[in-house]
Amino acid sequence: MRLAGIDGVVLHEHDEIVSELRRILHDPDIAVVFLTEKVAAVIESELTQIKETVTTPLIVVIPDRHGKSDMTASLSRYLEQTVGIHI
């Protein structure tokens, strides 16, 4: 992601993930948020509520190395479809 110019943070615990996501939701400079499948699973109920009530930023769940799909192909497809970045 950094090679594509995308900044990020690594979070593992439920409370820190929810706290950072709520902070991001109020930042007008952030248009897209990528969450890994593992992180999305940790905050599943909160993420569902946020997606139902918030229109921006766009929240996209992407595969990670812990997921079941081919990470490289899936990530490339997601990036190309959501933000037009082809890797």
Side-chain angles (χ1 to χ4, degrees):
M1 296 297 241
R2 285 187 217 151
L3 290 174
I6 299 171
D7 293 328
V9 294
V10 178
L11 304 168
H12 300 284
E13 301 300 321
H14 177 274
D15 292 340
E16 66 181 1
I17 296 167
V18 172
S19 175
E20 181 67 11
L21 186 55
R22 293 203 186 282
R23 185 194 68 76
I24 287 170
L25 294 176
H26 295 91
D27 187 336
D29 294 330
I30 297 177
V32 180
V33 176
F34 294 107
L35 300 176
T36 63
E37 291 173 337
K38 186 175 181 179
V39 167
V42 171
I43 61 164
E44 186 174 0
S45 62
E46 291 89 346
L47 186 57
T48 300
Q49 180 185 15
I50 290 169
K51 283 184 158 188
E52 290 174 351
T53 59
V54 176
T55 57
T56 58
L58 174 64
I59 299 174
V60 180
V61 178
I62 61 173
D64 59 7
R65 67 177 183 256
H66 305 288
K68 298 174 184 164
S69 59
D70 175 18
M71 184 175 83
T72 304
S74 295
L75 183 55
S76 294
R77 186 178 68 250
Y78 279 119
L79 287 173
E80 188 169 1
Q81 289 175 350
T82 57
V83 292
I85 297 172
H86 180 72
I87 298 177

